[in-house]
Amino acid sequence: MEELHKNYIAGEWRDGEAAPNHNPSNTDEVVGHYARASADDAQAAIAAAKDAFPAWSRTGIQQRHDILKTASDEVMARRAELGKLLAQEEGKTLAEGIGETVRAGQILDFFAGECLRLSGETLPSVRPGIGVEITREPVGVVGIITPWNFPIAIPAWKIAPALCYGNTVVVKPADLVPGSTWALVDILNRAGLPPGVLNLVMGRGSVVGQTLLESPDVDALTFTGSVATGKRVAEASVKQMRKFQLEMGGKNPLVVLDDADLATAVECAANGAYFSTGQRCTASSRLVVTEGIHDKFVAALTERMQGLVIDHALKKGSHIGPVVDQSQLDQDESYIDIAKNEGAKLHWGGERLNRETPGFYLQPALFTETKRDMRINREEVFGPVASVIKVKDYDEALEVANDTEFGLTSGVCTTSLKHATHYKRNSEAGMVMVNLPTAGVDYHVSFGGRKGSSYGPREQGRYAAEFFTTVKTAYTLP
Ligand code: UN1
């Protein structure tokens, strides 16, 4: 067997049960072998992070800046290689894999800069002669649990702010895609992190994740993944009275109004619904279309879908790679069946595809004649499946768009300033896009949703400080 990629605990690489990392574009290919951590390993990682915290939390901001900047430079320099690894383990196309790697590098760079911008407030007390200072301090040991769909960007956008603000970390990547996070942790540690500051424990949620949830020494936990697991994280965290942050599902609407530019609307829908194989919590899975443009939009989107090449993630010319694994493919196909049985019309796609290599290839699917209460319009599929809901006018479109348990992203395609402005103000989502896809966000501004999509403070940008620090108010009588 080739080299085993080990867990990183207390500054040392530690062996563990070897698990193969398969390529969803070619299931005969093993991308690498990665060690699964045991519960004891996870405990050791938490203990190491706890031991390292006092010293790390007092390091100078220049040191933290330099480490994050060095790591950013290496990620950027190795973008082609790391992007390829990502595409191999997750199934995104090479261009998407490189794009995500660049995003991770940019996030590290942004938080390198944030180290130098740490600030607080000084203000007078209401009692004369007394001064008040408000400062931000690190929270302690941060547990990080990440999903398989953004194997390097999401770990980067949780690890970078955690370190920037002086916390120590135990990170557990998704069992399905440990490779990109392994590479990121290796880069950060070689960039100069002291032992114990950043620990990596790969493996199963039921073993490693559970140990993080139950540990009284994990002071804050940040999670991106499914609603069901998010609820478990919340329950366990409340029991420990620890700070937690959840990013979960979406059933994001893209509203297309009669006055939309058709080409823009089609591009937003194709990108938002199907790129990255629809495996984004920000994907547009509900296309809410007013009746005047409905038929033209469906016809143009179908034509666009017919031109999409679904093939091996590394093949030149592929627009969309495979679904990540068999169980996600089963879920996608089962929702296609559910929608048909509910009376939705499978307008185009939804077929399994055979390619040169054995992989989980699925043609993007478009449903029409769907009703807002159908399961296909209420539950997250997390695959290349979207459905059209025809509505009468803008008012009905807004109402349907908001009629969901989720509230992550929401989009509108329109040339009307009035409708765009009204939609931005009245959409019940954390992020609203006008004439842009609902997925594919900037790295330097806040990210997060409302309702069942998110819980706790926003991620990314300056807003990340809310979660990764705790505020102290000090009063001084000189
Ligand atoms: C994006 O759309 O650019 O898991 C990011 C997800 C999100 C990230 C989406 N947390 O899909």
Side-chain angles (χ1 to χ4, degrees):
M1 191 177 77
E2 49 132 320
E3 186 209 345
L4 176 68
H5 297 83
K6 300 178 184 176
N7 293 296
Y8 194 73
I9 300 166
E12 282 168 14
W13 295 104
R14 282 214 204 162
D15 263 326
E17 174 213 338
N21 181 356
H22 288 282
N23 181 346
S25 297
N26 178 3
T27 49
D28 291 341
E29 185 189 318
V30 172
V31 179
H33 287 88
Y34 291 81
R36 283 201 172 117
S38 63
D40 285 348
D41 293 332
Q43 295 284 11
I46 297 165
K50 191 177 175 185
D51 286 351
F53 177 70
W56 177 249
S57 64
R58 284 185 211 106
T59 45
I61 55 175
Q62 187 67 48
Q63 184 184 347
R64 287 187 231 159
H65 165 275
D66 293 350
I67 291 169
L68 290 172
K69 182 75 179 96
T70 303
S72 167
D73 291 345
E74 181 170 338
V75 169
M76 289 300 201
R78 291 173 57 194
R79 65 178 72 180
E81 170 214 338
L82 295 172
K84 182 175 171 201
L85 170 66
L86 198 167
Q88 281 174 305
E89 68 173 349
E90 202 270 352
K92 273 181 204 191
T93 63
L94 183 58
E96 289 173 330
I98 293 173
E100 187 187 327
T101 304
V102 167
R103 192 198 300 205
Q106 289 166 328
I107 290 165
L108 291 164
D109 184 49
F110 177 85
F111 282 105
E114 284 299 277
C115 295
L116 306 179
R117 286 188 285 268
L118 276 173
S119 64
E121 286 178 76
T122 54
L123 50 163
S125 164
V126 292
R127 289 168 283 165
I130 295 175
V132 179
E133 290 156 61
I134 300 174
T135 50
R136 287 190 177 274
E137 296 186 357
V139 186
V141 175
V142 176
I144 297 179
I145 301 179
T146 56
W148 51 258
N149 65 332
F150 282 86
I152 195 162
I154 294 181
W157 86 46
K158 293 181 189 290
I159 295 171
L163 298 175
C164 161
Y165 298 116
N167 302 283
T168 55
V169 172
V170 178
V171 59
K172 182 221 167 293
D175 197 25
L176 209 49
V177 293
S180 301
T181 310
W182 187 95
L184 179 65
V185 169
D186 173 48
I187 289 169
L188 275 158
N189 279 308
R190 281 189 293 95
L193 286 174
V197 172
L198 173 60
N199 304 275
L200 169 73
V201 276
M202 301 174 288
R204 298 188 197 280
S206 55
V207 178
V208 180
Q210 197 58 30
T211 305
L212 287 175
L213 294 194
E214 286 170 8
S215 172
D217 292 329
V218 172
D219 301 298
L221 212 144
T222 173
F223 166 83
T224 299
S226 70
V227 175
T229 309
K231 284 191 174 147
R232 297 227 312 273
V233 172
E235 277 163 18
S237 295
V238 167
K239 227 183 244 168
Q240 304 288 346
M241 295 293 272
R242 77 158 74 90
K243 203 168 182 185
F244 64 98
Q245 173 185 56
L246 312 175
E247 288 299 340
M248 300 169 288
K251 195 73 208 173
N252 311 299
L254 176 72
V255 168
V256 178
L257 297 179
D258 285 355
D259 64 21
D261 175 73
L262 187 62
T264 302
V266 166
E267 221 31 58
C268 288
N271 176 324
Y274 304 124
F275 287 10
S276 301
T277 324
Q279 297 173 152
R280 296 186 280 191
C281 55
T282 46
S284 325
S285 49
R286 292 185 299 142
L287 308 172
V288 183
V289 187
T290 48
E291 54 193 18
I293 198 170
H294 177 275
D295 294 357
K296 270 184 286 182
F297 172 77
V298 169
L301 178 57
T302 308
E303 202 185 312
R304 179 76 174 89
M305 290 170 76
Q306 286 163 349
L308 292 173
V309 176
I310 294 91
D311 208 331
H312 196 298
L314 297 183
K315 207 167 190 174
K316 224 171 162 232
S318 287
H319 298 118
I320 293 175
V323 172
V324 74
D325 73 349
Q326 184 65 51
S327 95
Q328 183 59 50
L329 181 64
D330 291 345
Q331 176 164 319
D332 297 351
E333 293 195 301
S334 115
Y335 271 106
I336 291 173
D337 286 341
I338 289 168
K340 285 188 201 159
N341 292 334
E342 283 179 310
K345 181 179 159 205
L346 180 57
H347 182 81
W348 199 79
E351 297 293 321
R352 274 300 308 273
L353 300 170
N354 289 317
R355 293 294 179 252
E356 269 168 34
T357 47
F360 308 110
Y361 299 105
L362 179 66
Q363 202 173 35
L366 181 67
F367 282 96
T368 54
E369 295 171 34
T370 76
K371 301 273 175 284
R372 63 159 98 176
D373 290 329
M374 290 177 172
R375 284 181 65 192
I376 196 68
N377 285 325
R378 305 216 72 88
E379 298 168 24
E380 184 176 52
V381 178
F382 220 65
V385 181
S387 49
V388 176
I389 309 173
K390 195 202 269 193
V391 292
K392 201 163 72 278
D393 55 15
Y394 170 74
D395 292 338
E396 193 188 348
L398 176 65
E399 202 216 315
V400 169
N402 284 337
D403 181 13
T404 169
E405 284 172 31
F406 296 105
L408 190 59
T409 57
S410 161
V412 64
C413 291
T414 179
T415 51
S416 150
L417 181 61
K418 187 175 144 213
H419 285 145
T421 307
H422 190 272
Y423 193 84
K424 274 188 279 182
R425 289 193 187 140
N426 292 283
S427 169
E428 293 166 8
M431 295 171 282
V432 185
M433 284 74 169
V434 178
N435 295 320
L436 289 165
T438 60
V441 297
D442 284 5
Y443 65 86
H444 69 307
V445 291
S446 67
F447 178 95
R450 295 186 190 176
K451 300 200 269 187
S453 288
S454 305
Y455 189 96
R458 292 283 183 262
E459 301 194 82
Q460 302 209 71
R462 279 187 290 121
Y463 289 80
E466 274 315 308
F467 181 74
F468 291 99
T469 66
T470 178
V471 166
K472 179 176 277 173
T473 313
Y475 295 83
T476 309
L477 176 63

